[in-house]
Amino acid sequence: MAATTLGGILAASVVAGIWPVTGTATTWFPVLAVPPALGLPSLLPPLRLTPLGETTWAFWAADTAGAVVMLAVAVVQLRHVTSRRPQPGPGRAFSRGLWTTVLAVVGGNLVRSVFLSVVTHAGLGTYAGAVVGGAVVSALTGALIGVVVGLAAAVAAATGSRRPARTRA
């Protein structure tokens, strides 16, 4: 179930890095352009091989660092919860996938918010607003993506094989 959750988060990050997909989605749903228009990071840290268009390598590095932090937060969270209950049922797998995605997206976008604040020479109030606003937008984005990731984890938990309980002889 942990691999399904981590794979879902990674897939979402890769899809966010494919401009024909995200550009078309932004054209059809202009509300997706609101966070960047407000100076906040885009909804999900994208994982791509090269900078997008005329952007700099520094922005690409910040996006990549955000995606790496996002995946690292997910790994740490999944290790923590898996150590306590390695074989969750579908309901617990869904909530685990949802919560892990929310935490991971917030962690990844925090890196990007700090980078954007430094690059724009933001004052303390603007920096605090960007971090708080970025955390709120990231939590909402993580919840939306987390529903899909959680559903995949629940299906994996429901269809996966369960180990029989150990008995003492």
Side-chain angles (χ1 to χ4, degrees):
M1 281 39 77
T4 303
T5 301
L6 193 61
I9 295 170
L10 177 63
S13 183
V14 169
V15 168
I18 300 172
W19 180 248
V21 173
T22 55
T24 303
T26 305
T27 300
W28 283 94
F29 306 105
V31 72
L32 298 176
V34 171
L38 294 174
L40 302 173
S42 59
L43 302 176
L44 187 70
L47 193 57
R48 58 175 69 99
L49 296 176
T50 60
L52 179 64
E54 296 290 322
T55 59
T56 65
W57 284 92
F59 280 93
W60 173 83
D63 286 345
T64 303
V68 168
V69 167
M70 180 176 67
L71 294 172
V73 167
V75 166
V76 169
Q77 172 66 14
L78 289 170
R79 278 192 181 176
H80 172 70
V81 296
T82 304
S83 67
R84 294 187 337 207
R85 189 174 296 229
Q87 297 291 330
R92 191 175 296 269
F94 174 79
S95 63
R96 185 181 288 182
L98 175 68
W99 182 241
T100 299
T101 305
V102 169
L103 289 177
V105 172
V106 169
N109 276 340
L110 181 64
V111 171
R112 298 169 68 216
S113 291
V114 170
F115 173 77
L116 286 172
S117 294
V118 169
V119 167
T120 59
H121 303 289
L124 184 59
T126 305
Y127 170 75
V131 169
V132 170
V136 169
V137 169
S138 299
L140 292 172
T141 303
L144 291 173
I145 295 168
V147 168
V148 176
V149 172
L151 286 173
V155 168
T159 60
S161 62
R162 300 238 178 195
R163 293 184 207 156
R166 292 187 202 181
T167 58
R168 294 184 186 209

